[in-house]
Amino acid sequence: MNADTRLYTDRTASTVTTRDGVQLYYKDWGPKDGPVVTFSHGWPLNSDSWEAQMLFLAGQGFRVVAHDRRGHGRSSQPWDGNDMDHYADDLAAVIEALDLRDATLVGFSTGGGEVARYIGRHGTARVKKAVLVSAVPPLMLRTDDNPGGLPLEVFDGLRKGSIDNRSQLYLDIASGPFFGYNRPGATANAGLIQSFWVQGIQGGHKNTFDSIAAFSATDFREDLAKFDVPTLVVHGDDDQIVPIDLAGKASAALVSGAELIVYAGGPHGITDTHKDRLNQDLLAFLRK
């Protein structure tokens, strides 16, 4: 079998190489015989953004796996393939290379789109449950058949910010709407702001730029219709990045039998601001 058509994993370096030659860095924590939970991160972050949930669940006996999306973190920075189909196929590459089965797929923000597209493209043969946290599905962009979406100008603004000074863009997002630090009375946490900035700036410029279209303009409605496993949707009702009515509530309505948990006052970055509650909600869902 030719090297460009096979999937393989280098456990010494904790990488999986995809069929198109992209190296994906991954973490594999907890007991190897524990129930499997995978984590797909948001834009422009990497798998470090899941550390609170991974450390907690690994301590509860779960095998937790998370990779850095192509072009992000410690993974390769390919010029092409920075789109949701490739993201989903990369998740499949990790799952297949590690031979993960009966996995619960957890996706945050853009990672929620990755999970949805994975199920849409690869089915649920290896999937036991799914969790969407502050996730972008069904469709963020305003279109003729999605009139409640956000206008194109919002995402063009992100693209302009990326070109003008993406370092400042990431700092502004983290210092303001991502964690809700722009709300009256909010106390900003410098550590979380710096962590967001560091993760973002580690990503490739072209990759994170292209990803804006991937998370904003990809239509996941057909993918959500293919969900046939228990699904949990968690969303803050003060999410200024991915509004709950456009995303969390709409996804829960499209997935048959989905459970929706709303965090009152929760911002977009609830994996950090509400990590203790989220950890407990994930544990309860996993144990059902």
Side-chain angles (χ1 to χ4, degrees), residues 237-261:
D237 67 4
D238 192 31
D239 190 329
Q240 302 172 67
I241 305 292
V242 182
I244 187 172
D245 289 339
L246 171 64
K249 289 182 178 179
S251 287
L254 289 174
V255 176
S256 178
E259 176 186 0
L260 173 64
I261 298 179

Side-chain angles (χ1 to χ4, degrees), residues 74-275:
R74 290 138 294 202
S75 293
S76 300
Q77 297 184 5
W79 187 255
D80 298 312
N82 304 295
D83 55 74
M84 203 57 67
D85 285 352
H86 280 86
Y87 295 166
D89 291 351
D90 289 350
L91 175 58
V94 174
I95 290 172
E96 292 165 15
L98 299 181
D99 195 24
L100 305 178
R101 300 180 183 275
D102 293 324
T104 296
L105 309 186
V106 184
F108 168 77
S109 196
T110 299
E114 181 177 291
V115 166
R117 183 52 53 91
Y118 171 90
I119 291 177
R121 285 173 68 82
H122 299 276
T124 55
R126 291 177 178 262
V127 181
K128 184 177 182 179
K129 297 179 180 180
V131 183
L132 304 177
V133 181
S134 305
V136 298
L139 172 59
M140 289 194 68
L141 182 66
R142 180 183 298 167
T143 61
D144 289 343
D145 66 347
N146 188 47
L150 298 176
L152 180 62
E153 290 76 16
V154 171
F155 307 109
D156 282 346
L158 290 177
R159 279 182 276 265
K160 183 178 186 303
S162 294
I163 295 298
D164 289 349
N165 186 342
R166 74 179 182 122
S167 179
Q168 187 63 51
L169 173 68
Y170 297 160
L171 188 61
D172 289 345
I173 291 171
S175 301
F178 190 89
F179 296 112
Y181 294 152
N182 57 341
R183 292 308 195 200
T187 301
N189 183 284
L192 291 181
I193 294 170
Q194 291 170 19
S195 178
F196 183 103
W197 179 87
V198 167
Q199 290 178 58
I201 212 67
Q202 284 177 345
H205 195 172
K206 172 68 158 53
N207 311 97
T208 54
F209 181 89
D210 288 355
S211 190
I212 296 170
F215 72 68
S216 66
T218 303
D219 189 340
F220 300 100
R221 287 174 287 192
E222 291 186 5
D223 302 301
L224 293 174
K226 296 179 181 179
F227 277 45
D228 59 0
V229 294
T231 301
L232 174 66
V233 179
V234 183
H235 219 107
D237 67 4
D238 192 31
D239 190 329
Q240 302 172 67
I241 305 292
V242 182
I244 187 172
D245 289 339
L246 171 64
K249 289 182 178 179
S251 287
L254 289 174
V255 176
S256 178
E259 176 186 0
L260 173 64
I261 298 179
V262 177
Y263 288 9
H268 189 59
I270 56 176
T271 52
D272 285 307
T273 62
H274 292 63
K275 64 181 182 180

